[in-house]
Amino acid sequence: MDITVVLTSPNPYGSRTLTIEADRTSSVAYLRDARGIVHGAVWLANHVPAPAEDDPARVDAGLPPVLPAARTTRPQGTAPLDPAALSVLWFEEGDGVALYENGELLAVIPSWADLERGLPGYARDAVGESPYAWSLTEALEGLAPRVAKARAYWQWRQAEGSWATFQQFVLGHLDSRLGPPGRYWDVGGDRLPLVGVSERPPTFTRDYTVLSTVGMSCQRMPTAEMYDTACRVELALATRQDPRVAARVFAWLGQYPWRSVTWLGHGHTARWFQKPATFPLGGGHEGVLMLMDPPGLPDMSGFMFGGDVVRWLWLLPLTDAELRLVAEHGHRAVTERLALTSRI
């Protein structure tokens, strides 16, 4: 039986896509990444009377699942979904999504949905918990605030002047912590998330330039909530090199969490993706270690956005050997014996 694609909707960062597929029997929603790999899925509706038992052969054949009569509030089935009646609301992080039918919440696929682990999304017409859908009604107490927050965020983000206002907030904070600004570069390429780099030249209290991203903390990082870690960050770099060259490291990492649907945090490392000789920070280094509040560098605390504390991750360049050491033994294997100022 032919499967019809009812709707597709990419997230604002281009890293995941919601796809709704249907045949004459049922409809299902999939959350796929840029490679097409499914990260979440949820049954949406039966379009024929529900069977008494599960029909796993349908799923094995690549067809949308059906829920048995005891697992749906509409065992008689419903009419096929009308694409014109559907609307999509992505979570701020881009890793979860809410689906509406005629303005009514139809389904939610959160960031933690994973069919392989038995965690499907939530559907309006589902009863209890099944391998293909969990009850949306029973989960609304926890999900409704998340959905409302996502709607409020995108209403604000799409309003005229929102980005400029946010920029000024961050730049004002950098003024208070790092002194007067120098140059400003856009490294986001006019694609969400928008990210710039602010240069803070040397002052009478420091002999190095500080570069900081501006824009990463405008949206929460994907999956961070599942790890109880800082969900909003900016990156910073102390350098005595040509700031225009060093700033290239932010073009590499500034949008990385939303493109790769992941998070950056204290103690994380990242290896340069091109030939080592092209690494912007030079000096035989091939990647970076990210640290919050390293000793000897400016205190960046005191900034909040969206009700969340924003943390700055300082980038410390590492050699290949040091990157491998951190991978095997953790960041303390190198941070306890490194003088940060020697890496600038």
Side-chain angles (χ1 to χ4, degrees):
M1 187 175 294
D2 291 339
I3 295 178
T4 301
V5 176
V6 178
L7 177 146
T8 59
S9 172
N11 72 12
Y13 313 113
S15 54
R16 287 198 171 169
T17 298
L18 176 71
T19 304
I20 298 175
E21 297 180 354
D23 63 7
R24 295 179 181 178
T25 302
S26 63
S27 295
V28 64
Y30 296 105
L31 195 57
R32 294 182 169 96
D33 64 19
R35 296 168 295 173
I37 297 174
V38 174
H39 291 268
V42 62
W43 164 94
L44 298 175
N46 293 344
H47 305 309
V48 297
E53 304 290 340
D54 280 327
D55 185 3
R58 279 184 57 85
V59 178
D60 292 342
L63 298 173
V66 296
L67 287 195
R71 290 299 183 187
T72 173
T73 61
R74 306 188 188 196
Q76 74 280 7
T78 63
L81 297 175
D82 178 5
L86 302 176
S87 58
V88 175
L89 174 66
W90 284 96
F91 288 4
E92 176 181 347
E93 302 90 333
D95 58 0
V97 65
L99 176 66
Y100 289 82
E101 182 183 32
N102 292 317
E104 180 184 356
L105 194 57
L106 176 63
V108 175
I109 305 180
S111 59
W112 57 87
D114 186 341
L115 281 183
E116 291 187 359
R117 295 190 295 142
L119 301 174
Y122 300 85
R124 178 193 63 193
D125 297 341
V127 173
E129 297 180 359
S130 77
Y132 309 120
W134 288 2
S135 169
L136 179 60
T137 302
E138 296 175 7
L140 267 182
E141 183 177 354
L143 290 175
R146 287 296 312 277
V147 173
K149 189 173 182 179
R151 185 169 297 282
Y153 174 79
W154 289 113
Q155 287 175 343
W156 169 81
R157 188 67 182 83
Q158 293 162 3
E160 185 177 356
S162 61
W163 169 244
T165 300
F166 173 83
Q167 277 182 307
Q168 291 308 309
F169 284 154
V170 180
L171 292 172
H173 178 72
L174 295 176
D175 290 347
S176 69
R177 293 297 182 181
L178 301 172
R183 292 164 290 187
Y184 183 92
W185 298 281
D186 170 34
V187 295
D190 294 325
R191 297 191 299 172
L192 290 179
L194 300 180
V195 180
V197 177
S198 177
E199 175 192 36
R200 303 288 157 155
T203 67
F204 66 91
T205 60
R206 68 169 190 267
D207 63 351
Y208 54 85
T209 294
V210 173
L211 301 174
S212 171
T213 57
V214 176
M216 292 181 68
S217 63
C218 191
Q219 48 282 305
R220 293 163 58 98
M221 288 186 294
T223 72
E225 65 179 332
M226 293 188 287
Y227 297 92
D228 192 28
T229 187
C231 60
R232 296 188 192 273
V233 301
E234 299 285 353
L235 302 179
L237 175 69
T239 183
R240 296 188 182 96
Q241 302 176 38
D242 183 342
R244 294 170 298 179
V245 176
R248 290 171 49 207
V249 74
F250 298 116
W252 166 43
L253 291 175
Q255 296 175 320
Y256 181 82
W258 298 272
R259 297 291 169 78
S260 299
V261 193
T262 190
W263 59 284
L264 301 177
H266 179 70
H268 286 192
T269 60
R271 183 179 291 275
W272 182 241
F273 65 103
Q274 295 179 349
K275 293 180 179 180
T278 67
F279 185 51
L281 305 183
H285 300 113
E286 297 187 17
V288 295
L289 172 65
M290 305 173 205
L291 297 178
M292 290 182 183
D293 307 319
L297 291 176
D299 176 11
M300 301 295 286
S301 63
F303 185 68
M304 294 186 67
F305 182 71
D308 301 313
V309 173
V310 176
R311 304 300 301 271
W312 262 258
L313 294 172
W314 289 86
L315 304 183
L316 178 66
L318 296 184
T319 64
D320 172 68
E322 290 165 342
L323 286 165
R324 287 187 278 109
L325 186 62
V326 172
E328 292 183 17
H329 302 288
H331 68 89
R332 290 183 179 83
V334 296
T335 55
E336 292 178 356
R337 61 182 177 80
L338 288 179
L340 298 183
T341 54
S342 70
R343 297 303 172 111
I344 297 174

